[in-house]
Amino acid sequence: NTDRAKLMKEAENFLTNCYDELGYSMTELNSRVNQVNEEISSNGFYAHTTEELKHGAKMAWRNSNKCIGRLFWDRLHVIDARGTKEENAIFEQLFNHISFATNGGKIIPTITIFDPVIPGEDPIRIWNHQLLRYAGYETEQGVIGDPDSITFTKVCLELGWEGNGTAFDLLPLVIQVGNKQPMWKEIPEEIIMEVPIEHPTEPIFGDMEVKWYGVPIISDMRLEIGGIQYCAAPFNGWYMGTEVGARNFADENRYNLLPLVANNLNLDVQTNRSLWKDRALVELNLAVLYSYQQHGVTIVDHHTAAQQFLAFENKEIQSGRDVTGMWSWLIPPVSPATTHVFHKRYENKVITPNYYYQEKPFI
Ligand code: HEM
Ligand SMILES: N=C(Nc1cccc(CNC[C@@H]2CCCN2)c1)c1cccs1
């Protein structure tokens, strides 16, 4: 039928590119294509070899148009967790991802790949946006914690989780197998690495204790390889400082810390022309980079990240591949025009394998 014909086409396209990149002969490619043909025509599905899965996940990173960190696409550590079906075993794999990727602060870009969507089998979904993230609570006195987490925090509370009501409560992991009751578990604190944020010279937060978690692990995107959908495939890299310093801490609808920092720096917040927001933003980002470095947790500044992206662009051209990108996400939110990215154009062509948004499993 058409679905199987569509899947066969996507499979053949992926296998051709993948086997070419891995240096296989046409004979080896053709025999694999025939084998996959058989599998699809009899089951409407085909299973990737571990090698295809690993290279496919790397190709997907290389094709991620919004990612400035793609220079290291070929050094992704891929954990093949297919066949993990039992909830407790899934939690164990997630805890292992956190500790392995954290690696004492010397972060290892890692992806753990669970079973794809298989016709007639229960799909696995991770309900968290990121494995490590802080809760958000709406109270009469205003929002406590991360406003971006308010909805998911309510879901966790409804599932029976209880937070401590602080601005930095780490949320539990929530997973669901098929349409079964979602299960949640607290992350063991011994595998969690957090960084207390401080400025090298000024007490920019006054007496407020500010911290952030070390490793960003995206857990709600779908990895598509050769027509196969992996809906539970959490992946991490390391932070670019501006993500924490210019967005998570600075956005008015996030932690909104610029007024606090500006006041502690004695800036004139009564007029825009003092550029108090800009000066507070730079000191806040400096504090983030300094603190991660002091605590031995990998982080990259936006200038270095842009230079690495330029190296990626050149490497891709050497490899005979077009560089695709989404300009609006590739420019950093601090001093964008000081990077080469700002001054050139990128074609936002979406090619697979890739990582995609998927609709939330909860409302
Ligand atoms: C190694 C260090 C890495 C750095 C510094 C980095 C940096 C970034 C940054 C700054 C963004 C924009 C995020 C935002 O503004 O919210 C981004 C987006 C993205 N990155 Fe990377 N990245 C890294 C590794 C990875 C890895 C290992 C993967 C997957 C295997 C990946 C896949 C993506 C994807 C799919 C997006 C777009 C997310 C979306 O559409 O919301 N990145 N990256
Ligand atoms: N450094 C990272 N940052 C990153 C990458 C992808 C997606 C995100 C989260 N983006 C969505 C957030 C939430 C609101 C706006 N930004 C962060 C990485 C996370 C996982 C691998 S790299």
Side-chain angles (χ1 to χ4, degrees):
N1 58 31
T2 49
D3 283 4
R4 295 192 178 191
K6 185 165 173 284
L7 179 57
M8 191 55 237
K9 194 149 178 17
E10 288 167 334
E12 193 158 341
N13 175 47
F14 163 65
L15 291 168
T16 305
N17 292 331
C18 180
Y19 278 49
D20 171 51
E21 291 184 23
L22 293 176
Y24 283 111
S25 70
M26 286 306 287
T27 320
E28 287 156 322
L29 169 67
N30 289 330
S31 75
R32 177 62 179 148
V33 166
N34 292 335
Q35 188 183 31
V36 165
N37 236 325
E38 295 289 305
E39 210 177 327
I40 292 174
S41 45
S42 53
N43 320 339
F45 166 83
Y46 74 101
H48 289 122
T49 63
T50 297
E51 188 183 38
E52 290 161 358
L53 186 74
K54 292 188 173 187
H55 198 67
K58 293 177 177 181
M59 292 166 82
W61 180 10
R62 191 182 72 205
N63 293 332
S64 297
N65 287 345
K66 298 175 192 169
C67 183
I68 193 170
R70 289 180 272 171
L71 175 61
F72 309 108
W73 70 270
D74 200 10
R75 275 170 277 168
L76 177 66
H77 182 88
V78 182
I79 297 172
D80 184 354
R82 290 176 293 172
T84 312
K85 294 188 183 312
E86 214 275 309
E87 278 97 341
N88 285 327
I90 296 170
F91 279 120
E92 282 314 306
Q93 287 279 7
L94 297 177
F95 297 154
N96 173 64
H97 185 123
I98 293 168
S99 44
F100 176 83
T102 301
N103 186 35
K106 197 161 175 24
I107 295 173
I108 301 168
T110 306
I111 183 169
T112 297
I113 306 177
F114 294 95
D115 276 337
V117 174
I118 299 171
E121 294 202 14
D122 281 341
I124 298 168
R125 279 303 296 272
I126 300 167
W127 286 23
N128 306 65
H129 163 61
Q130 293 182 34
L131 298 188
L132 299 169
R133 222 180 187 212
Y134 297 121
Y137 309 93
E138 276 177 320
T139 74
E140 283 80 38
Q141 294 79 21
V143 175
I144 294 172
D146 192 343
D148 226 34
S149 295
I150 286 173
T151 309
F152 181 60
T153 301
K154 281 178 185 155
V155 168
C156 293
L157 293 167
E158 277 158 24
L159 291 173
W161 177 74
E162 291 175 5
N164 299 324
T166 82
F168 299 100
D169 290 350
L170 268 176
L171 287 159
L173 297 185
V174 182
I175 61 174
Q176 182 184 29
V177 175
N179 285 317
K180 288 166 64 182
Q181 171 69 15
M183 284 181 62
W184 63 270
K185 256 191 191 167
E186 286 281 10
I187 300 168
E189 44 88 33
E190 59 268 19
I191 64 174
I192 299 162
M193 209 163 176
E194 293 180 289
V195 180
I197 307 300
E198 53 188 2
H199 185 277
T201 61
E202 308 293 323
I204 61 169
F205 300 120
D207 56 7
M208 180 180 174
E209 305 227 324
V210 177
K211 65 177 174 179
W212 203 255
Y213 52 88
V215 191
I217 313 173
I218 296 297
S219 48
D220 62 358
M221 293 187 85
R222 172 172 57 82
L223 164 59
E224 180 179 317
I225 301 173
I228 301 296
Q229 321 283 342
Y230 296 89
C231 295
F235 60 85
N236 75 278
W238 49 77
Y239 267 121
M240 180 164 81
T242 54
E243 299 181 75
V244 182
R247 301 303 310 276
N248 301 347
F249 285 161
D251 283 3
E252 288 183 4
N253 62 350
R254 300 293 299 282
Y255 281 76
N256 188 26
L257 294 176
L258 289 185
L260 174 78
V261 171
N263 284 313
N264 284 309
L265 288 170
N266 301 312
L267 300 177
D268 176 6
V269 299
Q270 298 310 322
T271 165
N272 290 331
R273 296 166 69 93
S274 68
L275 297 190
W276 65 270
K277 278 193 182 179
D278 313 75
R279 298 177 85 172
L281 193 63
V282 165
E283 297 311 326
L284 184 46
N285 279 272
L286 186 70
V288 169
L289 292 169
Y290 170 77
S291 304
Y292 274 65
Q293 205 153 23
Q294 285 297 101
H295 286 78
V297 180
T298 309
I299 194 164
V300 65
D301 66 82
H302 48 295
H303 303 289
T304 304
Q307 288 169 344
Q308 292 168 339
F309 186 65
L310 181 58
F312 168 72
E313 293 177 62
N314 294 330
K315 225 174 114 202
E316 286 304 286
I317 293 163
Q318 292 306 316
S319 308
R321 289 187 291 263
D322 297 333
V323 172
T324 59
M326 186 187 276
W327 186 89
S328 56
W329 276 63
L330 288 171
I331 56 170
V334 175
S335 312
T338 64
T339 71
H340 81 281
V341 181
F342 184 89
H343 302 279
K344 66 192 292 187
R345 299 166 184 279
Y346 296 89
E347 189 191 9
N348 187 27
K349 185 168 171 243
V350 178
I351 52 180
T352 76
N354 217 314
Y355 298 97
Y356 298 89
Y357 295 142
Q358 46 188 351
E359 82 293 333
K360 289 209 187 307
F362 59 88
I363 26 159

